Amino acid sequence: MNNFALRVQCKSTRGIVAETSTFLTEQGCNITDSSQFDDTDTGNFFMRNSFSSEEGVTLAEIEERFAGIAAKYEMNVEFFDETSKPKVIIMVSRFGHCLNDLLYRWQIGALPIDIVAVISNHMDYQKVVVNHDIPFHCIKVTKENKPEAEARIMQVVDDTGADLIVLARYMQILSDQMCTQMSGKIINIHHSFLPSFKGANPYKQAFERGVKLIGATSHYVTADLDEGPIIEQDTTRVTHAQSPADYVSLGRDVEAQVLSRAIHAHIHGRVFLNGNKTVVFPASPGSFASERMG
């Protein structure tokens, strides 16, 4: 028995859910989880179904047979095997808390991904990465060599067949060309609760404003710096008695958790782009379970 998923995005029309459910039933499939959202402002409809094929029908056969329904409703459709592990490249600079958190979650199976490379503009985490038997690429970036450096990064993407790039506190601004080329395939973690306190040293800005909540935001990367569609956010409380250094330490934990949750949502096909926003469906039952518990 195989576990598959279906993603649908189209204009909202009566009958989509009923016809899709009937089709999967007729193919010998059992729907195990389903989420839908009807955006009344835009008229867009989003749906994600997890289902198991109980009578041996393959994913390719199901996709081919669904083509008529997809054409009828002018759907953007994606079928995928939920057991497949997307290929991911992690990019990091000199702050390693998100990298180390992702390596641990990957190691115990909590993040079912295949980390095919780590790219950095510094050598700080070479040993950590190599000790995990992951290829490490140090690609220095300067104003003068930025096009050549990004060409080398994209070569790694092409060579590995990476599905996703994760900026785990990678402190370089990507070019508009790279953002466009990899649209919807680069996730960043920003160490503030966007849209407040953008740019350099957001924790110092937050401290100076006397905030009572600090947070982190994970979003897709676009040409507009830190303005990409938001996938995940979270906060933690602070008090007047804490210092900017406390903010940074507390913020590290939030950043790591927010980034991992954003990746988890993306790789399970739970995130849909909806203009400059996202639709993020809840996780399917069992999808947070890891291979090594405890």
Side-chain angles (χ1 to χ4, degrees), residues 92-93 117-126 135-141 145 149 152-153 156 170:
V92 64
S93 290
V118 171
I119 298 174
S120 180
N121 53 334
H122 299 280
M123 292 293 291
D124 299 48
Y125 297 103
Q126 180 194 31
F136 178 85
H137 304 267
C138 183
I139 301 177
K140 300 286 187 180
V141 182
N145 81 337
R152 289 178 61 193
I153 292 169
V156 177
Y170 180 70

Side-chain angles (χ1 to χ4, degrees), residues 16-265:
I16 296 173
V17 175
E19 194 158 349
T20 301
S21 301
T22 300
F23 167 82
L24 290 173
T25 301
E26 291 173 346
Q27 302 306 310
C29 299
N30 179 38
I31 297 175
T32 56
D33 185 57
S34 182
S35 297
Q36 303 94 34
F37 175 65
D38 208 329
D39 188 341
T40 56
D41 291 333
T42 64
N44 292 329
F45 174 78
F46 306 87
M47 180 172 67
R48 184 193 183 281
N49 288 338
S50 291
F51 62 94
S52 57
S53 177
E54 299 181 338
E55 297 180 9
V57 182
T58 68
L59 189 61
E61 291 171 332
I62 294 171
E63 186 170 6
E64 182 180 358
R65 296 169 186 174
F66 191 73
I69 295 175
K72 175 182 177 180
Y73 292 103
E74 298 182 346
M75 295 175 174
N76 290 322
V77 176
E78 181 186 358
F79 286 91
F80 63 95
D81 187 337
E82 290 196 298
T83 63
S84 65
K85 294 183 178 182
K87 295 181 179 180
V88 175
I89 290 174
I90 299 175
M91 297 179 66
V92 64
S93 290
R94 307 198 99 153
F95 300 98
H97 51 287
C98 288
L99 170 66
N100 283 299
D101 180 78
L102 293 177
L103 289 174
Y104 176 72
R105 293 176 191 269
W106 161 75
Q107 196 171 34
I108 66 170
L111 268 182
I113 58 177
D114 180 11
I115 302 177
V116 293
V118 171
I119 298 174
S120 180
N121 53 334
H122 299 280
M123 292 293 291
D124 299 48
Y125 297 103
Q126 180 194 31
K127 289 184 179 179
V128 171
V129 173
V130 171
N131 286 344
H132 284 82
D133 295 323
I134 298 170
F136 178 85
H137 304 267
C138 183
I139 301 177
K140 300 286 187 180
V141 182
T142 65
K143 289 182 179 179
E144 293 73 25
N145 81 337
K146 191 177 184 72
E148 293 80 7
E150 286 199 349
R152 289 178 61 193
I153 292 169
M154 290 307 301
Q155 188 62 55
V156 177
V157 173
D158 292 340
D159 290 345
T160 59
D163 305 296
L164 177 69
I165 295 176
V166 174
L167 305 183
R169 294 300 302 275
Y170 180 70
M171 309 305 287
Q172 290 288 329
I173 297 174
L174 303 182
S175 69
D176 292 358
Q177 180 182 351
M178 185 172 176
C179 292
T180 301
Q181 187 174 352
M182 296 294 292
S183 178
K185 296 181 179 180
I186 307 177
I187 292 177
N188 188 28
I189 184 66
H190 193 281
H191 48 305
S192 77
F193 197 60
L194 292 175
S196 299
F197 311 124
K198 294 184 291 185
N201 214 336
Y203 289 124
K204 184 173 184 292
Q205 297 176 51
F207 174 77
E208 290 172 349
R209 290 291 303 275
V211 303
K212 300 299 182 275
L213 289 171
I214 58 172
T217 299
S218 188
H219 60 92
Y220 287 115
V221 172
T222 64
D224 294 325
L225 181 63
D226 298 331
E227 295 288 347
I230 293 170
I231 307 169
E232 181 63 58
Q233 293 181 295
D234 206 350
T235 59
T236 188
R237 297 198 68 84
V238 292
T239 75
H240 63 277
Q242 289 165 324
S243 68
D246 291 330
Y247 283 27
V248 172
S249 296
L250 291 166
R252 288 193 190 113
D253 291 337
V254 183
E255 291 166 30
Q257 293 175 44
V258 167
L259 181 58
S260 69
R261 292 204 297 262
I263 296 169
H264 189 276

